[in-house]
Amino acid sequence: MYLQLQNLTKQFDNITAVNDMNVNIKKGELVSLLGPSGCGKTTTLKMIGGFLKPTRGKVILDGIDITNLEPEKRPITTVFQSYALFPHMNVQENVGYGLKYRKQYSKKAAREKVDEMLDMVGLKDFARQNVTKLSGGQQQRVAFARALILNPKVLLLDEPFSNLDAKLRVKMRNEIKELQKKIQITMIFVTHDQEEALSISDRIVIMNDGVIVQIGSPKDIYTNPKNQFVADFIGRVNTLKLGEKTLLIRPENIAITSEDTGHNGKIIQKQYMGPYTTYFIKIGEQTIQADISSITDEAWEIGESVNIKFM
Ligand SMILES: Nc1ncnc2c1ncn2[C@@H]1O[C@H](COP(=O)(O)OP(=O)(O)O)[C@@H](O)[C@H]1O
Ligand SMILES: [Mg+2]
């Protein structure tokens, strides 16, 4: 395994922010840390980057124990939430900044490397612009180029899109995924946004209260959540008690039908969502939600008695 977190633990006074975390990450893999605010994502990332010393446990990279190395001695770079660009520098100065401290680069080689990075993130025409004049998405790209120019073995990203509006977030996450595939860099991506994690990750690590709750591929986690917490956190889920059994069932896995299925209910509310309509169906004392695709929807009405089918 390329990057190993072994029994990684961080205690702050009386808070155990991260508790005995074990994760093995393959070279070139994109792994997301996903969980609610305060669950220990940033603390984990800081221990990997070297900005926080673990109370216990190890970080092993490419066979070498780096647990006690200073951040700048690790072949790892971090893109922080705020980008932390240098406002008094232009784009190429920001991107080239880290090379100043790498003696193996001549001035000319450094310039070429900067050009190559700017080309990669599509900012060649902005080389001499002041970074404060750029849009949020462009600043984000500068932050990436600045991190990647150092040729890190691992790139850490802490909620990199949280300052961007919804549309731009989607655009940037697609760009990141493409870039990551192209240069095959190992990446750990922190987010609290389930859709973001599902759409770009090779694997997702779900955290809660400082511990790992589940690790798996996006599809694994979505279709086979280990418990109610994971099921709720990663999408919407109905918890339906049928006799002794409790079913966890996604709204898109419920169909409405007029044929007798043995599960009868009454539509008490409906919400048109564009691609689908969410029907709120009362079954006995319980209410469940069913997302019916706009393509197949027969437009059931509020008050109507219907049968439901689990798919
Ligand atoms: N420097 C610190 N001192 C004390 N407590 C901290 C410190 N940093 C984080 N914590 C606590 O550790 C827990 C995890 O925080 P954090 O890793 O920032 O969570 P996340 O990034 O998932 O929102 C929280 O309860 C937070 O208050
Ligand atoms: Mg955080």
Side-chain angles (χ1 to χ4, degrees):
M1 276 297 165
Y2 196 56
L3 178 65
Q4 296 168 277
L5 312 183
Q6 297 180 342
N7 310 106
L8 208 56
T9 300
K10 183 68 189 181
Q11 185 93 30
F12 294 112
D13 304 320
N14 48 6
I15 298 169
T16 309
V18 175
N19 195 357
D20 203 31
M21 205 166 157
N22 288 286
V23 186
N24 290 320
I25 294 169
K26 292 192 249 324
K27 192 171 181 179
E29 202 175 14
L30 196 170
V31 172
S32 295
L33 304 182
L34 175 68
S37 178
C39 74
K41 305 180 296 292
T42 296
T43 304
T44 304
L45 219 60
K46 283 184 174 167
M47 289 192 283
I48 302 170
F51 302 100
L52 271 179
K53 221 170 202 112
T55 309
R56 205 154 51 74
K58 287 181 184 170
V59 180
I60 315 269
L61 176 57
D62 209 2
I64 297 167
D65 185 341
I66 60 166
T67 316
N68 295 308
L69 275 188
E70 293 304 312
E72 60 278 7
K73 294 269 161 61
R74 300 180 184 212
I76 295 178
T77 46
T78 307
V79 174
F80 293 102
Q81 207 162 6
S82 56
Y83 316 148
L85 300 178
F86 304 114
H88 57 286
M89 293 183 189
N90 68 26
V91 170
Q92 66 185 16
E93 287 163 346
N94 263 279
V95 172
Y97 183 78
L99 293 184
K100 280 193 187 166
Y101 303 95
R102 305 253 166 139
K103 298 215 166 53
Q104 74 265 37
Y105 285 95
S106 66
K107 249 196 169 140
K108 181 162 173 283
R111 165 104 345 143
E112 280 170 10
K113 191 85 185 140
V114 169
D115 283 349
E116 184 193 324
M117 288 297 134
L118 289 179
D119 199 24
M120 188 175 73
V121 297
L123 285 178
K124 226 173 177 172
D125 296 340
F126 296 85
R128 285 165 203 282
Q129 279 238 10
N130 187 282
V131 286
T132 55
K133 302 259 161 59
L134 300 178
S135 71
Q138 289 167 333
Q139 289 186 5
Q140 176 73 76
R141 289 194 202 113
V142 175
F144 280 130
R146 192 178 61 172
L148 290 172
I149 202 168
L150 299 171
N151 254 336
K153 288 184 167 176
V154 178
L155 181 63
L156 306 176
L157 304 165
D158 193 354
E159 311 221 13
F161 310 138
S162 53
N163 297 327
L164 308 178
D165 64 56
K167 266 233 160 88
L168 191 54
R169 286 176 78 113
V170 173
K171 184 170 182 301
M172 288 308 297
R173 83 179 182 222
N174 294 342
E175 279 186 21
I176 283 272
K177 179 71 190 173
E178 248 174 62
L179 205 62
Q180 189 266 340
K181 266 205 335 255
K182 194 159 92 185
I183 60 177
Q184 306 207 326
I185 191 169
T186 309
M187 205 156 114
I188 304 182
F189 184 97
V190 163
T191 180
H192 64 268
D193 181 329
Q194 49 114 357
E195 191 187 284
E196 209 163 89
L198 284 175
S199 63
I200 69 166
S201 313
D202 295 312
R203 280 190 305 154
I204 300 175
V205 176
I206 305 254
M207 297 177 68
N208 193 24
D209 276 339
V211 299
I212 294 176
V213 187
Q214 188 170 358
I215 303 181
S217 70
K219 196 169 175 190
D220 255 355
I221 289 194
Y222 188 75
T223 56
N224 224 340
K226 193 169 163 187
N227 58 26
Q228 176 101 38
F229 170 79
V230 177
D232 274 329
F233 196 76
I234 199 118
R236 288 151 55 227
V237 71
N238 292 297
T239 309
L240 187 61
K241 283 206 165 66
L242 288 176
E244 295 291 290
K245 274 197 302 190
T246 302
L247 281 184
L248 293 178
I249 184 154
R250 300 283 184 201
E252 68 271 25
N253 292 333
I254 295 176
I256 301 177
T257 168
S258 43
E259 66 193 72
D260 189 10
T261 59
H263 302 294
N264 186 256
K266 191 175 191 170
I267 293 169
I268 56 169
Q269 187 61 263
K270 62 190 261 192
Q271 284 171 0
Y272 179 69
M273 303 297 288
Y276 59 89
T277 296
T278 300
Y279 287 90
F280 294 73
I281 305 166
K282 194 155 187 197
I283 302 175
E285 292 305 302
Q286 308 174 76
T287 301
I288 61 165
Q289 295 180 25
D291 290 351
I292 309 298
S293 158
S294 300
I295 296 168
T296 59
D297 189 12
E298 293 173 41
W300 310 88
E301 297 307 328
I302 293 171
E304 205 168 341
S305 211
V306 293
N307 291 304
I308 61 162
K309 198 157 69 177
F310 305 116
M311 332 239 286

